[in-house]
Amino acid sequence: MEVDIMGDFPTRINVGVRKRTREITEKWIVINYDYVPNYCKSCKLQGHNEKECFIIHPELYPK
């Protein structure tokens, strides 16, 4: 499954399951992410979030 890192990650997906009778039933599957990288939506770089961004908060940049 692919997700857009700029958007919200889905917490569940709907999956169609075909039974032996060829009937299809729907089942909701909960998604647990092992690792979600930090991503800054302002500067579009991984490794930090918007609270730690040097572009938004230049005072955080080590001199």
Side-chain angles (χ1 to χ4, degrees), residues 27-62:
K27 183 175 182 179
W28 284 97
I29 305 293
V30 176
I31 301 172
N32 294 319
Y33 296 96
D34 292 333
Y35 174 71
V36 178
N38 287 330
Y39 186 76
C40 180
K41 295 178 182 178
S42 285
C43 68
K44 299 184 179 34
L45 293 175
Q46 288 185 359
H48 65 274
N49 57 24
E50 292 173 327
K51 292 179 184 177
E52 302 167 339
C53 183
F54 296 138
I55 294 174
I56 299 173
H57 307 286
E59 68 276 6
L60 297 175
Y61 189 77

Side-chain angles (χ1 to χ4, degrees), residues 18-30:
R18 179 172 291 168
K19 295 184 175 184
R20 289 184 182 173
T21 61
R22 304 189 71 64
E23 177 186 353
I24 296 176
T25 60
E26 294 181 353
K27 183 175 182 179
W28 284 97
I29 305 293
V30 176

